[in-house]
Amino acid sequence: EPEVTQTPSHQVTQMGQEVILRCVPISNHLYFYWYRQILGQKVEFLVSFYNNEISEKSEIFDDQFSVERPDGSNFTLKIRSTKLEDSAMYFCASSVAEETQYFGPGTRLLVL
Amino acid sequence: AQSVSQHNHHVILSEAASLELGCNYSYGGTVNLFWYVQYPGQHLQLLLKYFSGDPLVKGIKGFEAEFIKSKFSFNLRKPSVQWSDTAEYFCAVNAQNYGGSQGNLIFGKGTKLSVKP
């Protein structure tokens, strides 16, 4: 069964550094998403992406964040200058239509 | 603004006990409703979903959920839990609009289920 994959599984970085989180969505899916979950809190929507552009974004997704689909398979989330409060589990998801989303295993980001 | 409430933070049951996890949402329009499960060390997996039609939906592993529109609820049930059901369960909604569904899922805080063998 096809799955969403994410790399790396864990990332430790220093405050102020840039990080890129990578996702490979399910191959015939057209909609892509990033969510995050700060430890002990809810899973929160960050951004959705369709047809090579952002379709929705939350208040969390400020100028420090960007997304890209650099080729036909990868979907990346970049955080330009990480802050301590960016420490969280980041989940990528994909869907055929804007309904049932399938999630990847997550990347645990720790900002020191 | 949409929100999802899961009232139980941690539920502890013995094997063969019946399970009901509450989920209420707040939204004035039509929604799609989901339950996801996260087993220890694994990613979020879809258990079941409701878009329209029969308000009682059946999912994988013997789970079911009932959509009660008047109560804005979508409670998850299983008649007899097993140790392997130990996991965290998340209720989520997204809104339907004229163009189809809005993408972003709004999640509840999750309910940890521990099943004692």
Side-chain angles (χ1 to χ4, degrees), chain B residues 15 37 39-40 61 78 81-87 89 113 115:
Chain B
E15 274 195 317
V37 60
Y39 297 102
K61 306 189 183 191
K78 185 170 183 179
V81 294
Q82 300 171 312
W83 176 79
S84 57
D85 293 323
T86 294
Y89 293 81
L113 172 66
V115 180

Side-chain angles (χ1 to χ4, degrees), chain A residues 4 23-35 45 47-56 69 73 75 92-103, chain B residues 94 99-104:
Chain A
V4 176
C23 169
V24 178
I26 295 172
S27 64
N28 63 332
H29 286 189
L30 301 175
Y31 295 81
F32 314 112
Y33 312 85
W34 284 101
Y35 293 81
F45 168 75
V47 65
S48 60
F49 192 85
Y50 170 71
N51 202 25
N52 280 320
E53 59 183 29
I54 290 173
S55 44
E56 276 184 271
R69 188 153 161 82
S73 58
F75 179 52
C92 174
S94 69
S95 63
V96 173
E98 281 189 293
E99 293 170 343
T100 307
Q101 297 174 28
Y102 294 88
F103 284 79
Chain B
N94 67 7
S101 300
Q102 281 188 334
N104 58 310

Side-chain angles (χ1 to χ4, degrees), chain A residues 3-4 33 35 37 40-45 48 56 89 91 98-106, chain B residues 3-5 32 34 36 38 42-44 46 49 51 88 90 94 101-105 107-109:
Chain A
E3 289 184 340
V4 176
Y33 312 85
Y35 293 81
Q37 186 179 28
Q41 297 187 25
K42 291 186 183 188
V43 176
E44 301 171 291
F45 168 75
S48 60
E56 276 184 271
M89 182 75 102
F91 294 103
E98 281 189 293
E99 293 170 343
T100 307
Q101 297 174 28
Y102 294 88
F103 284 79
Chain B
S3 66
V4 177
S5 298
N32 299 317
F34 305 83
Y36 283 87
Q38 189 172 31
Q42 296 189 29
H43 59 280
L44 287 161
L46 183 69
K49 62 189 178 187
F51 293 159
E88 190 155 17
F90 295 90
N94 67 7
S101 300
Q102 281 188 334
N104 58 310
L105 287 170
F107 281 85
K109 276 195 166 184

Side-chain angles (χ1 to χ4, degrees), chain A residues 46-104:
Chain A
L46 293 178
V47 65
S48 60
F49 192 85
Y50 170 71
N51 202 25
N52 280 320
E53 59 183 29
I54 290 173
S55 44
E56 276 184 271
K57 60 182 181 178
S58 71
E59 291 172 357
I60 303 166
F61 193 87
D62 61 22
D63 292 343
Q64 292 299 313
F65 292 89
S66 62
V67 288
E68 200 177 29
R69 188 153 161 82
D71 53 42
S73 58
N74 289 284
F75 179 52
T76 62
L77 174 70
K78 184 195 290 187
I79 310 174
R80 284 192 189 83
S81 177
T82 49
K83 304 190 274 275
L84 295 176
E85 54 264 36
D86 293 328
S87 295
M89 182 75 102
Y90 288 81
F91 294 103
C92 174
S94 69
S95 63
V96 173
E98 281 189 293
E99 293 170 343
T100 307
Q101 297 174 28
Y102 294 88
F103 284 79

Side-chain angles (χ1 to χ4, degrees), chain B residues 4-102:
Chain B
V4 177
S5 298
Q6 291 182 246
H7 310 295
N8 309 105
H9 177 61
H10 191 184
V11 172
I12 302 172
L13 294 173
S14 298
E15 274 195 317
S18 65
L19 170 73
E20 181 158 1
L21 301 182
C23 172
N24 288 89
Y25 67 92
S26 169
Y27 181 65
T30 307
V31 294
N32 299 317
L33 296 148
F34 305 83
W35 276 96
Y36 283 87
V37 60
Q38 189 172 31
Y39 297 102
Q42 296 189 29
H43 59 280
L44 287 161
Q45 298 172 42
L46 183 69
L47 258 186
L48 49 77
K49 62 189 178 187
Y50 172 81
F51 293 159
S52 64
D54 188 345
L56 184 63
V57 291
K58 294 194 185 300
I60 59 170
K61 306 189 183 191
F63 286 91
E64 65 179 32
E66 185 175 13
F67 171 49
I68 304 180
K69 192 174 178 181
S70 60
K71 295 185 178 179
F72 298 89
S73 71
F74 190 55
N75 291 355
L76 181 71
R77 299 196 291 247
K78 185 170 183 179
S80 175
V81 294
Q82 300 171 312
W83 176 79
S84 57
D85 293 323
T86 294
E88 190 155 17
Y89 293 81
F90 295 90
C91 181
V93 304
N94 67 7
Q96 293 185 23
N97 58 29
Y98 295 113
S101 300
Q102 281 188 334

